[in-house]
Amino acid sequence: MTGERVLVLNGPNLDLLGRREPGVYGSASLADVRAALEALARELGCSVELRQTNSEGQLVDWVHEAWDAADGIVVNPGALAHYSYALRDAIAAVPRPTVEVHISNVHARERFRHHSTVSPVAVGVIVGMGTYGYELALRGLVERLRAGAPER
Ligand code: DQA
């Protein structure tokens, strides 16, 4: 199969990427991430749509939307990863494989970042690889979909 549709969802404060704590998150903006993912999608023969919101409810709604409109999800939940049971339940409810991405190595940072509500319901987790982690996630997700692996 080719032409997989992948939704790339970003949570709170990721609109500030490139300007926010560049020592932690790097200098690439979310627009740069979108451009890199669109180029990779062309290479892989899939499609990507990147979105960002600062609202938990909006992120939950987009995960629901993926049930009908996407084959898989890449999500960087931002800080919601550390406390959102609503996002975790949405990902568990929707039978589409989801890869969790964190730009920074959350395990090398403050203790509250070591736990993720999302990781147990994700098919994979990529942390600490900078914004390149989004590309790794897209490659891994497409590979998994093409292998016909189960939803999670
Ligand atoms: C982040 C890590 C989170 O702990 C933080 O709240 C973010 C970004 C990352 O991509 O490294 O907003 O998800």
Side-chain angles (χ1 to χ4, degrees), residues 14-75:
L14 289 160
D15 50 331
L16 299 179
L17 206 57
R19 290 196 287 163
R20 166 196 189 202
E21 299 181 79
V24 177
Y25 299 114
S27 56
S29 67
L30 210 52
D32 296 330
V33 172
R34 177 182 282 113
L37 287 178
E38 285 175 353
L40 179 59
R42 279 192 294 276
E43 181 194 313
L44 296 174
C46 66
S47 70
V48 281
E49 187 180 334
L50 184 144
R51 302 180 188 174
Q52 187 276 332
T53 178
N54 291 322
S55 147
E56 181 179 20
Q58 178 67 84
L59 208 54
V60 167
D61 285 342
W62 284 342
V63 171
H64 294 180
E65 192 183 318
W67 199 329
D68 294 320
D71 300 299
I73 301 170
V74 172
V75 64

Coordinates of all heavy atoms in Angstrom, one line a residue, residues 14-75:
L14 N 4.2 24.3 21.2 CA 5.1 23.9 20.1 C 4.9 24.8 18.9 O 5.7 24.8 18.0 CB 4.8 22.4 19.7 CG 5.3 21.5 20.8 CD1 4.7 20.1 20.7 CD2 6.8 21.3 20.6
D15 N 4.0 25.8 19.0 CA 3.9 26.9 18.0 C 5.1 27.8 18.2 O 5.5 28.5 17.3 CB 2.6 27.7 18.2 CG 2.3 28.1 19.6 OD1 2.7 27.4 20.5 OD2 1.7 29.1 19.8
L16 N 5.8 27.7 19.4 CA 6.9 28.6 19.6 C 8.3 27.9 19.2 O 9.3 28.5 19.5 CB 7.0 28.9 21.1 CG 5.8 29.7 21.7 CD1 6.0 30.0 23.2 CD2 5.6 31.0 20.9
L17 N 8.2 26.8 18.6 CA 9.4 26.0 18.2 C 10.3 26.9 17.4 O 9.9 27.6 16.5 CB 9.0 24.8 17.5 CG 10.0 23.6 17.5 CD1 10.2 23.2 18.9 CD2 9.4 22.4 16.7
G18 N 11.6 26.9 17.7 CA 12.6 27.7 17.0 C 12.9 29.0 17.8 O 14.0 29.5 17.7
R19 N 11.9 29.4 18.6 CA 12.2 30.6 19.4 C 12.2 30.3 20.9 O 12.8 31.0 21.7 CB 11.0 31.6 19.2 CG 11.0 32.2 17.8 CD 10.1 33.5 17.8 NE 8.7 33.1 17.9 CZ 7.8 34.0 18.2 NH1 8.0 35.2 18.5 NH2 6.5 33.6 18.2
R20 N 11.6 29.2 21.2 CA 11.4 28.7 22.6 C 12.6 27.9 23.1 O 12.9 26.9 22.5 CB 10.1 27.9 22.7 CG 9.9 27.1 23.9 CD 8.9 26.0 23.7 NE 8.5 25.4 24.9 CZ 8.0 24.2 25.0 NH1 7.7 23.5 23.9 NH2 7.7 23.7 26.1
E21 N 13.3 28.3 24.2 CA 14.4 27.5 24.7 C 15.2 26.8 23.7 O 15.2 25.6 23.6 CB 13.8 26.5 25.7 CG 13.1 27.1 26.9 CD 12.6 26.1 27.9 OE1 13.4 25.6 28.7 OE2 11.4 25.7 27.8
P22 N 15.8 27.6 22.8 CA 16.6 26.9 21.7 C 17.6 25.9 22.1 O 18.0 25.0 21.4 CB 17.1 28.1 20.9 CG 17.0 29.3 21.7 CD 15.9 29.0 22.7
G23 N 18.2 26.2 23.3 CA 19.2 25.2 23.8 C 18.6 23.8 24.1 O 19.3 22.8 24.1
V24 N 17.3 23.8 24.3 CA 16.6 22.5 24.6 C 16.0 22.0 23.3 O 16.0 20.8 23.0 CB 15.5 22.7 25.7 CG1 14.7 21.4 25.9 CG2 16.1 23.2 27.0
Y25 N 15.3 22.9 22.6 CA 14.5 22.4 21.5 C 15.0 22.7 20.1 O 14.5 22.3 19.1 CB 13.0 23.0 21.6 CG 12.3 22.6 22.8 CD1 12.0 23.5 23.8 CD2 12.0 21.3 23.1 CE1 11.4 23.2 25.0 CE2 11.4 20.9 24.2 CZ 11.1 21.8 25.2 OH 10.4 21.5 26.4
G26 N 16.2 23.4 20.0 CA 16.8 23.7 18.7 C 16.2 24.9 18.1 O 15.4 25.6 18.6
S27 N 16.7 25.2 16.9 CA 16.4 26.4 16.2 C 15.4 26.2 15.1 O 14.9 27.2 14.4 CB 17.7 27.1 15.7 OG 18.3 26.2 14.8
A28 N 15.0 25.0 14.8 CA 14.0 24.8 13.7 C 12.6 25.1 14.2 O 12.3 24.9 15.3 CB 14.1 23.3 13.3
S29 N 11.9 25.8 13.3 CA 10.5 26.1 13.6 C 9.6 25.0 13.2 O 10.0 24.1 12.5 CB 10.1 27.4 12.9 OG 10.1 27.1 11.5
L30 N 8.3 25.1 13.6 CA 7.3 24.1 13.2 C 7.1 24.2 11.7 O 6.8 23.1 11.1 CB 6.0 24.4 13.9 CG 5.1 23.2 14.2 CD1 5.9 22.0 14.9 CD2 3.9 23.6 15.0
A31 N 7.3 25.4 11.1 CA 7.2 25.5 9.6 C 8.3 24.7 9.0 O 8.1 24.0 7.9 CB 7.3 26.9 9.2
D32 N 9.5 24.7 9.6 CA 10.6 23.9 9.1 C 10.3 22.4 9.2 O 10.6 21.6 8.3 CB 11.9 24.2 9.9 CG 12.4 25.6 9.7 OD1 12.2 26.2 8.6 OD2 13.1 26.1 10.7
V33 N 9.7 22.0 10.3 CA 9.3 20.6 10.5 C 8.3 20.2 9.4 O 8.5 19.1 8.8 CB 8.7 20.4 11.9 CG1 8.2 19.0 12.1 CG2 9.8 20.6 13.0
R34 N 7.4 21.1 9.2 CA 6.3 20.8 8.2 C 7.0 20.6 6.8 O 6.7 19.6 6.1 CB 5.3 21.9 8.1 CG 4.3 21.7 7.0 CD 3.3 22.8 6.8 NE 2.2 22.7 7.9 CZ 2.1 23.6 8.8 NH1 2.9 24.6 8.9 NH2 1.1 23.5 9.7
A35 N 7.9 21.4 6.4 CA 8.6 21.4 5.1 C 9.4 20.1 5.0 O 9.4 19.4 4.0 CB 9.5 22.6 4.9
A36 N 10.1 19.7 6.1 CA 10.9 18.5 6.1 C 10.0 17.2 6.0 O 10.3 16.3 5.2 CB 11.8 18.4 7.4
L37 N 8.9 17.3 6.7 CA 8.0 16.1 6.6 C 7.3 16.0 5.2 O 7.1 14.9 4.7 CB 6.9 16.2 7.7 CG 7.4 15.9 9.1 CD1 6.3 16.1 10.2 CD2 8.0 14.5 9.3
E38 N 7.0 17.2 4.7 CA 6.3 17.1 3.3 C 7.3 16.6 2.3 O 6.9 15.8 1.4 CB 5.8 18.5 2.9 CG 4.5 18.8 3.7 CD 4.0 20.2 3.5 OE1 4.6 21.0 2.9 OE2 2.9 20.5 4.0
A39 N 8.6 16.9 2.4 CA 9.6 16.4 1.5 C 9.7 14.9 1.7 O 9.8 14.1 0.7 CB 10.9 17.1 1.7
L40 N 9.8 14.5 2.9 CA 9.9 13.0 3.2 C 8.7 12.3 2.8 O 8.8 11.2 2.2 CB 10.1 12.8 4.8 CG 10.3 11.4 5.2 CD1 11.4 10.7 4.5 CD2 10.4 11.3 6.7
A41 N 7.5 12.9 2.9 CA 6.3 12.2 2.5 C 6.3 12.0 1.0 O 5.9 10.9 0.5 CB 5.1 13.0 2.9
R42 N 6.8 13.0 0.3 CA 6.9 12.8 -1.2 C 7.8 11.6 -1.5 O 7.5 10.8 -2.4 CB 7.4 14.1 -1.9 CG 6.3 15.1 -2.1 CD 6.8 16.3 -3.0 NE 7.9 17.1 -2.4 CZ 7.7 18.1 -1.6 NH1 6.5 18.4 -1.2 NH2 8.7 18.7 -1.1
E43 N 8.9 11.6 -0.8 CA 9.9 10.5 -1.0 C 9.3 9.1 -0.7 O 9.5 8.1 -1.4 CB 11.1 10.7 -0.1 CG 12.2 9.7 -0.2 CD 13.2 9.8 0.9 OE1 13.6 10.9 1.2 OE2 13.5 8.7 1.5
L44 N 8.5 9.1 0.4 CA 7.9 7.8 0.8 C 6.6 7.4 0.1 O 6.2 6.3 0.1 CB 7.6 7.8 2.3 CG 8.8 8.0 3.3 CD1 8.3 8.2 4.7 CD2 9.7 6.8 3.2
G45 N 6.0 8.4 -0.6 CA 4.7 8.1 -1.3 C 3.6 8.1 -0.3 O 2.6 7.3 -0.5
C46 N 3.6 8.9 0.7 CA 2.5 9.0 1.6 C 2.1 10.5 1.7 O 2.7 11.4 1.1 CB 2.8 8.5 3.0 SG 4.1 9.4 3.9
S47 N 1.1 10.8 2.5 CA 0.8 12.3 2.7 C 0.8 12.6 4.2 O 0.5 11.7 5.0 CB -0.6 12.6 2.1 OG -1.6 12.0 2.9
V48 N 1.2 13.8 4.5 CA 1.2 14.3 5.9 C 0.4 15.6 6.0 O 0.4 16.4 5.1 CB 2.6 14.6 6.4 CG1 3.4 13.3 6.8 CG2 3.4 15.4 5.5
E49 N -0.2 15.7 7.2 CA -0.8 17.0 7.5 C -0.4 17.3 8.9 O -0.7 16.6 9.8 CB -2.3 16.9 7.4 CG -3.0 18.2 7.6 CD -4.5 18.2 7.5 OE1 -5.0 17.3 6.8 OE2 -5.1 19.1 8.1
L50 N 0.3 18.5 9.1 CA 0.8 18.9 10.4 C -0.1 19.9 11.0 O -0.5 20.9 10.4 CB 2.2 19.4 10.3 CG 2.9 19.7 11.6 CD1 4.4 19.4 11.5 CD2 2.8 21.2 11.9
R51 N -0.5 19.7 12.3 CA -1.3 20.7 13.0 C -0.8 20.9 14.4 O -0.1 20.1 14.9 CB -2.7 20.1 13.2 CG -3.4 19.8 11.9 CD -4.8 19.3 12.2 NE -5.5 18.8 10.9 CZ -6.6 18.1 10.9 NH1 -7.3 17.9 12.1 NH2 -7.1 17.7 9.8
Q52 N -1.1 22.1 14.9 CA -0.6 22.4 16.3 C -1.8 23.2 17.0 O -2.5 24.0 16.4 CB 0.6 23.4 16.3 CG 1.2 23.6 17.6 CD 0.6 24.8 18.4 OE1 0.0 25.7 17.8 NE2 0.6 24.7 19.7
T53 N -2.0 22.9 18.3 CA -2.9 23.6 19.1 C -2.4 23.7 20.5 O -1.6 22.9 21.0 CB -4.3 22.8 19.2 OG1 -5.2 23.5 20.0 CG2 -4.1 21.4 19.7
N54 N -2.9 24.7 21.2 CA -2.5 24.9 22.6 C -3.6 24.3 23.5 O -3.6 24.4 24.7 CB -2.3 26.4 23.0 CG -1.0 26.8 22.3 OD1 0.0 26.1 22.2 ND2 -1.0 28.1 21.8
S55 N -4.7 23.7 22.9 CA -5.8 23.3 23.6 C -5.9 21.8 23.7 O -5.9 21.1 22.7 CB -7.1 23.9 23.0 OG -8.2 23.1 23.1
E56 N -6.1 21.2 24.9 CA -6.2 19.8 25.0 C -7.4 19.2 24.3 O -7.3 18.2 23.6 CB -6.3 19.5 26.6 CG -6.5 18.0 26.9 CD -6.6 17.7 28.4 OE1 -6.9 18.7 29.1 OE2 -6.3 16.6 28.8
G57 N -8.6 19.9 24.4 CA -9.8 19.4 23.7 C -9.7 19.4 22.2 O -10.1 18.4 21.6
Q58 N -9.0 20.3 21.7 CA -8.8 20.3 20.2 C -7.9 19.1 19.8 O -8.2 18.5 18.8 CB -8.1 21.6 19.8 CG -7.7 21.7 18.3 CD -9.0 21.8 17.5 OE1 -9.6 22.9 17.2 NE2 -9.4 20.7 17.0
L59 N -6.9 18.8 20.6 CA -6.0 17.7 20.3 C -6.8 16.4 20.3 O -6.7 15.5 19.5 CB -4.9 17.7 21.3 CG -3.6 17.1 20.8 CD1 -3.0 17.7 19.6 CD2 -2.5 17.2 21.9
V60 N -7.7 16.3 21.4 CA -8.6 15.1 21.5 C -9.5 15.0 20.2 O -9.6 13.9 19.6 CB -9.4 15.2 22.8 CG1 -10.5 14.2 22.8 CG2 -8.5 15.0 24.0
D61 N -10.1 16.1 19.8 CA -11.0 16.1 18.6 C -10.2 15.7 17.4 O -10.7 15.0 16.6 CB -11.5 17.5 18.4 CG -12.6 17.9 19.4 OD1 -13.2 17.0 20.0 OD2 -12.9 19.1 19.5
W62 N -9.0 16.1 17.3 CA -8.2 15.7 16.1 C -7.8 14.3 16.1 O -7.8 13.6 15.0 CB -6.9 16.6 16.0 CG -7.1 18.0 15.5 CD1 -8.2 18.5 14.9 CD2 -6.2 19.1 15.7 NE1 -8.1 19.8 14.6 CE2 -6.9 20.2 15.1 CE3 -5.0 19.2 16.2 CZ2 -6.3 21.5 15.1 CZ3 -4.4 20.5 16.2 CH2 -5.0 21.6 15.6
V63 N -7.6 13.7 17.3 CA -7.3 12.3 17.3 C -8.6 11.5 16.9 O -8.5 10.6 16.1 CB -6.9 11.8 18.8 CG1 -6.8 10.3 18.9 CG2 -5.5 12.4 19.1
H64 N -9.8 12.0 17.3 CA -11.0 11.4 16.9 C -11.2 11.4 15.4 O -11.6 10.5 14.7 CB -12.2 12.1 17.5 CG -12.3 11.9 19.0 ND1 -13.3 12.5 19.8 CD2 -11.5 11.3 19.9 CE1 -13.2 12.2 21.0 NE2 -12.1 11.4 21.1
E65 N -10.8 12.6 14.8 CA -10.9 12.8 13.4 C -10.1 11.8 12.6 O -10.5 11.4 11.5 CB -10.5 14.3 13.1 CG -10.8 14.7 11.7 CD -10.2 16.2 11.5 OE1 -10.4 17.0 12.4 OE2 -9.7 16.4 10.4
A66 N -9.0 11.4 13.2 CA -8.0 10.5 12.5 C -8.7 9.1 12.3 O -8.3 8.4 11.3 CB -6.8 10.3 13.4
W67 N -9.7 8.8 13.1 CA -10.4 7.5 12.9 C -10.8 7.3 11.4 O -10.6 6.3 10.8 CB -11.5 7.3 13.8 CG -12.0 5.9 14.1 CD1 -11.9 4.9 13.2 CD2 -12.5 5.4 15.3 NE1 -12.5 3.7 13.7 CE2 -12.8 4.0 15.0 CE3 -12.9 5.9 16.5 CZ2 -13.4 3.2 16.0 CZ3 -13.4 5.1 17.5 CH2 -13.7 3.8 17.2
D68 N -11.5 8.4 10.9 CA -12.0 8.3 9.5 C -11.0 8.9 8.5 O -11.1 8.6 7.3 CB -13.3 9.1 9.4 CG -14.4 8.3 10.2 OD1 -14.4 7.1 10.2 OD2 -15.2 9.0 10.9
A69 N -10.2 9.8 9.0 CA -9.4 10.7 8.0 C -7.9 10.3 7.9 O -7.2 11.0 7.1 CB -9.6 12.1 8.4
A70 N -7.4 9.4 8.7 CA -6.0 9.1 8.6 C -5.7 7.6 8.8 O -6.6 6.8 9.3 CB -5.3 9.9 9.7
D71 N -4.5 7.2 8.4 CA -4.1 5.8 8.6 C -3.2 5.7 9.9 O -3.0 4.6 10.4 CB -3.4 5.3 7.4 CG -4.3 5.3 6.2 OD1 -5.3 4.6 6.2 OD2 -3.9 6.1 5.2
G72 N -2.6 6.8 10.3 CA -1.8 6.8 11.5 C -1.6 8.2 12.0 O -1.9 9.2 11.3
I73 N -1.0 8.2 13.2 CA -0.8 9.5 13.8 C 0.6 9.6 14.4 O 1.1 8.6 14.9 CB -1.8 9.7 15.1 CG1 -3.3 9.6 14.6 CG2 -1.6 11.0 15.8 CD1 -4.3 9.5 15.8
V74 N 1.2 10.8 14.2 CA 2.4 11.1 14.9 C 2.0 12.3 15.9 O 1.4 13.2 15.4 CB 3.5 11.6 14.0 CG1 4.7 12.2 14.8 CG2 4.0 10.5 13.0
V75 N 2.3 12.1 17.1 CA 1.9 13.2 18.1 C 3.0 13.6 19.0 O 3.7 12.7 19.6 CB 0.7 12.7 18.9 CG1 0.9 11.6 19.8 CG2 0.1 13.9 19.7

